[in-house]
Amino acid sequence: MRLLKHLVLMTVAVVALPVGVDGKATGPIYLARRIPEGTEIKVDGDLSDWQWLAPVFSTSDEFPFARWDVPEEDFGVEVKVAWSPETNMLYHAVKVTDDKLLTLPREQAQKMWRYDLLELFIDADGSGGNYRGENNSAQAQQYFLYLPPDRSACFGLFGPQEKLGWSLKAPYAKYAARYDGKTICYELAQNVWDFLGDSPQQSRLHNLKAGQVMGWKITVKDRDNEKEAPIGCTLRPSDAWENADNFARLMLTP
């Protein structure tokens, strides 16, 4: 019964691809709603200002990562996504049930893919293809947000962060995370890029508009100890570490 309920939620969130949409990703489409006029999202890790929006998906069982048999009190996910033409930013609010947080110091952030974190994959113009190697995270990116042991949020990307790190800071990105011992709340607002270079002048900013579909994917991981492999959920089981064609898709709605 629990699985059936989750599959119904997944069906509501996914829509058919409209004719004429460019892009190479072939995964399911999820919806990001425009932030209503008069609604302010303060990126501080307090998700109470997201109550106007229903989750894009709200269970770890929709797309399990590694295991099906995870109890709800140990791991669960609720994701909300929105966008704003006024700020030209994409917004995420992610609530994760996690009774034990295992992370690394920010100096070891590039190894965090094996621990408790939020991963966000974005291919803003839907160009797809291999975004590693010589492309060097230019046309698509794999971002991460997590809480190091000092509990100060760390936002980064798996790639040449020493060159692209300017895009992870204000005014191009805002982020926060909180943990109360049972729940992690991640909150993020960021510009997205058709081409991300070593500086704003060498980059091409993506302008968000209703009706656009971009390559997009979320993965949330949970690891309780060093001896066990991480569990979690991901929006598409295909490996997206190198190939943006394996992302899911996100449609910006009015």
Side-chain angles (χ1 to χ4, degrees):
M1 188 67 184
R2 179 181 172 215
L3 178 58
L4 177 60
K5 178 182 73 173
H6 296 334
L7 291 175
V8 170
L9 285 170
M10 180 179 70
T11 303
V12 170
V14 181
V15 298
L17 177 64
V19 175
V21 173
D22 295 328
K24 296 183 178 180
T26 57
I29 291 184
Y30 295 82
L31 305 180
R33 183 178 166 187
R34 177 175 174 171
I35 298 174
E37 291 185 13
T39 299
E40 181 182 2
I41 299 294
K42 186 176 181 181
V43 181
D44 56 4
D46 178 356
L47 306 186
S48 60
D49 48 6
W50 286 80
Q51 294 182 8
W52 56 275
L53 183 62
V56 173
F57 71 95
S58 57
T59 171
S60 61
D61 276 357
E62 285 186 9
F63 294 89
F65 180 88
R67 283 171 49 195
W68 284 92
D69 59 340
V70 181
E72 289 185 345
E73 63 271 15
D74 185 35
F75 182 76
V77 177
E78 179 181 281
V79 176
K80 298 182 179 183
V81 190
W83 67 284
S84 169
E86 286 75 27
T87 63
N88 196 37
M89 282 185 163
L90 190 63
Y91 292 74
H92 288 81
V94 181
K95 184 166 66 174
V96 181
T97 301
D98 190 347
D99 58 358
K100 185 176 182 180
L101 194 61
L102 183 62
T103 60
L104 299 175
R106 62 184 62 246
E107 295 79 15
Q108 302 179 50
Q110 292 296 313
K111 298 180 180 179
M112 267 300 300
W113 59 273
R114 300 174 60 241
Y115 296 87
D116 295 8
L117 86 167
L118 165 68
E119 293 180 349
L120 175 62
F121 300 77
I122 294 181
D123 178 13
D125 64 1
S127 55
N130 189 316
Y131 63 99
R132 301 294 181 184
E134 63 181 14
N135 294 317
N136 221 18
S137 301
Q139 91 273 18
Q141 298 80 38
Q142 180 186 6
Y143 297 98
F144 61 82
L145 179 58
Y146 80 101
L147 278 172
D150 64 8
R151 297 298 185 260
S152 59
C154 179
F155 180 50
L157 62 80
F158 290 118
Q161 187 164 318
E162 67 282 357
K163 295 182 178 180
L164 306 179
W166 62 267
S167 66
L168 307 173
K169 305 172 184 177
Y172 309 106
K174 305 174 185 178
Y175 58 91
R178 298 184 182 188
Y179 182 57
D180 63 5
K182 296 181 179 179
T183 303
I184 312 168
C185 291
Y186 299 108
E187 195 167 18
L188 173 63
Q190 65 182 128
N191 293 130
V192 294
W193 306 88
D194 293 335
F195 182 86
L196 184 58
D198 295 353
S199 69
Q201 295 74 26
Q202 295 175 292
S203 303
R204 187 167 65 251
L205 181 66
H206 185 84
N207 293 314
L208 301 175
K209 296 180 181 179
Q212 289 179 348
V213 176
M214 65 179 66
W216 171 87
K217 176 179 173 176
I218 279 181
T219 298
V220 181
K221 294 178 182 175
D222 174 23
R223 190 177 190 183
D224 287 346
N225 62 71
E226 295 281 357
K227 296 181 180 180
E228 293 183 358
I231 58 174
C233 67
T234 185
L235 288 190
R236 196 179 182 203
S238 301
D239 186 6
W241 183 81
E242 290 183 316
N243 193 346
D245 294 351
N246 291 332
F247 293 4
R249 292 171 290 179
L250 184 72
M251 176 182 286
L252 308 185
T253 67

